[in-house]
Amino acid sequence: TQQGAFIKIPRSDGSYTKIRLVRSFKYLGVMLSYHNFEQETMALRIKHSDQSAHQLHRWLFTQRLSAQQKVRLWYQCIYTCLRYGIIATGFTDSTLLQFYRFSIRQLRRILREPVHLTHENNQSFLQRHNLPDPLLRLKSICLQTATRSLQRQWTLADDDILNLTPLPCYDHLLQVIDQVN
C-alpha cells in the first residue's frame, strides 16, 4: 500500500489483520533483522552504553572516586550494558572492533589518558594500569556461556522444548575474538 508493505493475516470472521513489515526492530535489547543484525545490535549496544556512561558521568569522569573504583564501576555498569545480547546475536570482526574501540576510548577517558596525548598503544595502556582487556573478558564470558549451554544440553530430556532452540556457534565466536585480539 502507500503506507508500506504489510502481511495480511486472515481472521475467523473473514476480516484481515494487517501487520507492517519492517526492515528491523528492537526486541529485548537486540536488533532483529534480515540484514546485518550484528551491526545493528552492536550500534544499539554502543548507543545504550554511551547513555549509561552519560548517566554515570558524575562518578566515572570526575574526581570523586579513585581510578580503580571508576574502572570497577565501568565494568559493572557500562561494560555489562555493552555486551548484553551480543553473544546470542553473534558478532563479526568489524562489530567486535567497534566494541573494543568503544571500550578502550571509555577506559582512556576515565583515566584521563587519551591516545593523542600519551601515544601509547592500547595493550601497554591496559597493562600499565593493570586493567582487564575487554576482549579477553568477553572471551571468558563466551566460554562460560558455552559451558553452561553444554551442561544444560546434557541435563535436558530428549523431548524438552529447549532442544528446539538452536545455540550460537561458540567456537566461531571465540575465533572472531581471537582474530580481533
Side-chain angles (χ1 to χ4, degrees):
T1 68
Q2 291 179 347
Q3 292 80 27
F6 291 85
I7 187 169
K8 288 174 38 176
I9 300 174
R11 312 286 306 255
S12 60
D13 64 358
S15 65
Y16 291 96
T17 299
K18 292 185 194 177
I19 299 177
R20 180 184 295 273
L21 297 176
V22 294
R23 182 171 171 84
S24 63
F25 64 97
K26 184 170 44 171
Y27 181 71
L28 296 177
V30 299
M31 294 300 290
L32 300 178
S33 169
Y34 291 114
H35 308 283
N36 207 0
F37 56 90
E38 298 98 341
Q39 175 61 41
E40 292 180 27
T41 296
M42 188 60 70
L44 180 69
R45 299 314 324 149
I46 288 173
K47 175 185 168 191
H48 286 305
S49 299
D50 199 32
Q51 289 171 344
S52 296
H54 183 69
Q55 291 172 338
L56 295 172
H57 184 274
R58 178 183 329 174
W59 295 280
L60 288 174
F61 305 114
T62 61
Q63 301 291 341
R64 295 182 187 192
L65 299 175
S66 70
Q68 187 178 27
Q69 289 173 320
K70 291 177 187 180
V71 169
R72 284 184 55 210
L73 180 64
W74 185 84
Y75 269 104
Q76 290 172 351
C77 298
I78 312 307
Y79 185 79
T80 302
C81 181
L82 181 62
R83 70 175 176 81
Y84 178 81
I86 66 171
I87 291 175
T89 59
F91 38 79
T92 62
D93 293 356
S94 63
T95 59
L96 200 57
L97 198 54
Q98 291 174 1
F99 174 93
Y100 183 69
R101 287 178 179 157
F102 177 82
S103 299
I104 293 296
R105 192 169 47 250
Q106 289 274 308
L107 291 169
R108 284 184 177 273
R109 184 173 173 209
I110 288 169
L111 298 175
R112 299 174 186 256
E113 293 189 18
V115 70
H116 70 277
L117 295 179
T118 63
H119 301 289
E120 181 179 33
N121 69 33
N122 294 332
Q123 291 304 320
S124 299
F125 166 76
L126 293 171
Q127 287 173 354
R128 188 165 52 82
H129 289 288
N130 198 23
L131 299 175
D133 186 311
L135 289 179
L136 293 180
R137 185 168 274 197
L138 182 63
K139 183 177 181 177
S140 173
I141 292 166
C142 191
L143 285 169
Q144 290 171 1
T145 305
T147 302
R148 252 191 340 269
S149 295
L150 186 60
Q151 289 172 345
R152 182 186 79 180
Q153 290 299 110
W154 287 339
T155 60
L156 291 177
D158 290 337
D159 61 344
D160 196 307
I161 194 168
L162 290 176
N163 287 323
L164 300 175
T165 305
L167 297 174
C169 181
Y170 295 109
D171 291 335
H172 175 71
L173 296 177
L174 293 170
Q175 286 175 358
V176 172
I177 293 171
D178 287 338
Q179 286 175 352
V180 172
N181 201 9

